[in-house]
Amino acid sequence: GAVVSQHPSWVICKSGTSVKIECRSLDFQATTMFWYRQFPKQSLMLMATSNEGSKATYEQGVEKDKFLINHASLTLSTLTVTSAHPEDSSFYICSAREDVRTNQPQHFGDGTRLSIL
Amino acid sequence: QKEVEQDPGPLSVPEGAIVSLNCTYSNSAFQYFMWYRQYSRKGPELLMYTYSSGNKEDGRFTAQVDKSSKYISLFIRDSQPSDSATYLCAMKRGNNRLAFGKGNQVVVIP
């Protein structure tokens, strides 16, 4: 149980393109999903917390107009990197938590490798 | 001082050895403790989850929590080459965000 699916797994695109990444909880409902960014050989950096039916909460230093988050249903959150540039190249990972009991751990997707040329 | 300290230095062990990983933390309010395994180019996979002091065992994995010393450990018995990965400790207080360690790269040599 507690499977989180992330799509696509790898994206290569030109500078200036907008890229959408999907995160789905497959076998549970997730009121809350999280978006992380990870640089090589470093730990995960929380970018934003996505709440179903409301605006996402962004961490300090993360541009909300650059990284658009939509959490329209209890099983789907999307992250759109708008007008992506080479410095946005990174590994983006989502996670979701079952909210029946809030002390449940987060389960992670397999990440999306984004390469901007 | 960071909330969670984890020595990221790579750890190489021969197959069959016991792997011992540790994290220390400064926030005594942390209640829930997790260990994640992350293979290269993959997302973290939950290995162990606990919220009380003491040991929790699952197959070859044992998680240990010492709240009085603010110290958690993960032990992997009879290590296999397939255990080669980065291991991340994580912890949280209630409904709050996860605080991660830097991760430990483990290499099990056949």
Side-chain angles (χ1 to χ4, degrees), chain A residues 38-85:
Chain A
Q38 187 178 34
F39 291 104
K41 298 191 183 299
Q42 294 192 24
S43 193
L44 284 74
M45 182 186 77
L46 180 65
M47 298 175 65
T49 302
S50 168
N51 300 295
E52 187 267 337
S54 65
K55 291 184 178 180
T57 304
Y58 289 82
E59 295 300 302
Q60 191 173 9
V62 177
E63 299 176 58
K64 61 181 180 181
D65 295 330
K66 175 75 170 176
F67 299 100
L68 299 178
I69 291 172
N70 183 277
H71 193 160
S73 78
L74 286 171
T75 58
L76 173 64
S77 175
T78 60
L79 168 69
T80 301
V81 184
T82 61
S83 187
H85 292 284

